[in-house]
Every structure is written in C-alpha cells, then in structure tokens.
Amino acid sequence: MRLTPTERDRLLLRSAAELARARRARGLKLNVPEATALIADTVCEAARDGKRLAEAIEEARSVLGHGDVLPGVADVVTEVHVEAVFDDGSRLAVVSSPIRDGVSLGEDAPGAVVPGPGAPQPEPTVHLHVRNTATVPVSVTSHFHFFEANPRLSFDRAAAYGMRLCVPAGSSVRFDPGGEAEVGLVPIGGARVAIGFAGLVDGPLDAPGAKREALARAAACGYLGTGITAGGTAAGPGSGGPGTGSTGAGDTGSGDTDTGDTTGGERA
C-alpha cells in the first residue's frame, strides 16, 4: 500500500494519540506531546464523523482537564493547530485553551517569557488600534513585521511599516474574532531587512520607494488599512477600514503575525 506524506502524518498522529489514551487509562498524567496528539486526533476523528469545524473544536476542548495533564502542560499547550478533512474540504482547526480549567504556573511555567534582570523593555513609539475582522483568532509574534500581519487585521498599515510588537521576545499577541485591541510598536532593529513574512517587502525596509511599493502590494492583495483604493489611488483619512487610525506617529518612514497564527484557518 502506498501512502501519501499526509496519510503517513495522520497515522503517526493517530499512534501518538492512542498511546496517550492508553497511558491516561493507566492513571498517568499526560505530557505535552501526548496531550497535543490526543487533542489533535479528536479534531480529525470528529471531522471524519461528519461534524463541522466548530463542533470538532468544541469536542477537542472537552477531552482533557487540568487533572489529566502534568503540571505546566496547560501553560505550554495553549493552542493546538491541526489540518483535518471535513465534508466541505480540508480546514485548519485552531483549538484555543484546549485544556479545561488549566492551572497556570505563571513565571514558574515551562517556557514562560520573563524579562531578564537589567534588560528593561523599550517604550512603544507607535500605538495602533487593531480590529480582527476574521472569524478565527489571529496571533502575531513579537518579531513579526507587523505591517505584513494577517490581511483581515484592520489597522493603519503605513504607520506599522518597519515596526514590530513591543512585547518580550518569543511572546505573541492574540486577536480574537471580531475583537479590538490597542498595541504598541517599536522599530525593527539590526540591519532592518525584512525577508519572508508575507512577502510584501523581501528586502531592506528603508530602501528608496520600498514602503510605497509594499503598500501597493498589500492593497493589491486585499490587506485592510492600506489607505489605497482598488483603483490604486490614495484614499482619504479614515478610509482604511474600521479601526485603522493610528494614535502614534503617522508615517514613520520605518515602521504574520505568526502564523501564525495564527488560528480556524487564518494565519498571521
């Protein structure tokens, strides 16, 4: 029998989930890989049973409680992303807060982001109002070029050019579906070269014309908040969509989210 890479991954996930079920049946508390596999497998099986995306996510949230996992697992497994095949096609399911009544260990949790001594966090140079117009949560990591964050996030893109979130390295900010938040941004440091992300820059941020070209690409790809109409002309104040106004510097001249993303189906 010849299996595709996706089918092999599914079998591997199923094997890990069955191992987790067997260990839980013996009274053992699950670790991070076991808990993740069990939650993801529950989504895939719910999809196979013909359930819709929202139903599969809710079923996955009911599988584990804080008494089923080792201390600290709830701090690490805050979201589980898995691609499952539903009746209407392949969908990315994002299971947020997958462990019921998870008890956080705070700064003692594995992987906790704690600013080091003597390393104060910078003050934001730009403050933006951000609204998530998507039907799924979107997460943006600390060093993602915020200008290139998920197109369904509505904010002043020009003000965010060359900027990143003013949060500790390795952390992220989550925007719930339909939610709004104020975020602080600081300029990207170092050589100020943006490679990858959403592919809107892919080069030096401060090169002549780079910002203008990136805004045009973003507008052509349907990003909210560019201030450019479909015909390629600059729009008037406030035309970038709801929540696109900046409360900080306007055009800084410098400025995925993650994926990521984040989370079902939109990525940062």
Side-chain angles (χ1 to χ4, degrees), residues 40-129:
D41 182 69
T42 301
V43 173
C44 294
E45 288 303 296
R48 185 67 179 85
D49 291 338
K51 296 181 180 178
R52 299 179 65 83
L53 176 62
E55 296 173 321
I57 291 175
E58 285 307 311
E59 185 170 325
R61 286 198 181 106
S62 67
V63 173
L64 295 176
H66 74 274
D68 298 314
V69 297
L70 291 168
V73 171
D75 289 286
V76 177
V77 187
T78 57
E79 281 188 346
V80 174
H81 298 207
V82 60
E83 190 170 348
V85 180
F86 293 84
D87 287 346
D88 57 350
S90 181
R91 305 283 296 279
L92 176 66
V94 180
V95 185
S96 57
S97 303
I99 299 174
R100 301 187 317 275
D101 306 318
V103 179
S104 174
L105 298 181
E107 293 186 357
D108 295 326
V113 178
V114 181
Q121 293 297 307
E123 289 294 324
T125 59
V126 170
H127 290 84
L128 292 181
H129 183 81

Side-chain angles (χ1 to χ4, degrees), residues 1-267:
M1 181 172 63
R2 190 181 299 272
L3 299 175
T4 67
T6 298
E7 291 167 335
R8 290 197 295 269
D9 288 344
R10 178 69 189 98
L11 288 175
L12 180 61
L13 174 61
R14 179 66 176 183
S15 298
E18 287 301 308
L19 177 62
R21 291 186 178 97
R23 288 178 174 173
R24 185 173 65 165
R26 298 206 311 266
L28 298 176
K29 293 191 175 185
L30 304 184
N31 58 25
V32 169
E34 293 163 350
T36 303
L38 183 52
I39 293 164
D41 182 69
T42 301
V43 173
C44 294
E45 288 303 296
R48 185 67 179 85
D49 291 338
K51 296 181 180 178
R52 299 179 65 83
L53 176 62
E55 296 173 321
I57 291 175
E58 285 307 311
E59 185 170 325
R61 286 198 181 106
S62 67
V63 173
L64 295 176
H66 74 274
D68 298 314
V69 297
L70 291 168
V73 171
D75 289 286
V76 177
V77 187
T78 57
E79 281 188 346
V80 174
H81 298 207
V82 60
E83 190 170 348
V85 180
F86 293 84
D87 287 346
D88 57 350
S90 181
R91 305 283 296 279
L92 176 66
V94 180
V95 185
S96 57
S97 303
I99 299 174
R100 301 187 317 275
D101 306 318
V103 179
S104 174
L105 298 181
E107 293 186 357
D108 295 326
V113 178
V114 181
Q121 293 297 307
E123 289 294 324
T125 59
V126 170
H127 290 84
L128 292 181
H129 183 81
V130 181
R131 183 166 70 92
N132 181 11
T133 67
T135 58
V136 294
V138 174
S139 294
V140 184
T141 52
S142 59
H143 282 62
F144 193 92
H145 184 203
F146 201 75
F147 169 84
E148 302 182 63
N150 192 289
R152 295 299 91 199
L153 293 180
S154 179
F155 59 90
D156 187 343
R157 297 275 169 179
Y161 183 84
M163 311 289 278
R164 66 171 181 85
L165 286 168
C166 186
V167 295
S171 61
S172 63
V173 174
R174 173 190 167 99
F175 302 95
D176 291 323
E180 302 184 27
E182 297 285 337
V183 299
L185 305 179
V186 294
I188 292 175
R192 289 183 55 77
V193 175
I195 298 294
F197 301 111
L200 299 179
V201 181
D202 273 341
L205 288 163
D206 303 321
K211 181 177 181 179
R212 181 178 63 256
E213 292 175 7
L215 279 167
R217 291 192 193 102
C221 292
Y223 280 71
L224 298 179
T226 62
I228 300 176
T229 65
T233 58
S239 61
T244 59
S246 167
T247 58
D251 183 354
T252 61
S254 60
D256 48 48
T257 141
D258 185 13
T259 135
D261 231 226
T262 309
T263 254
E266 297 279 353
R267 298 183 179 177

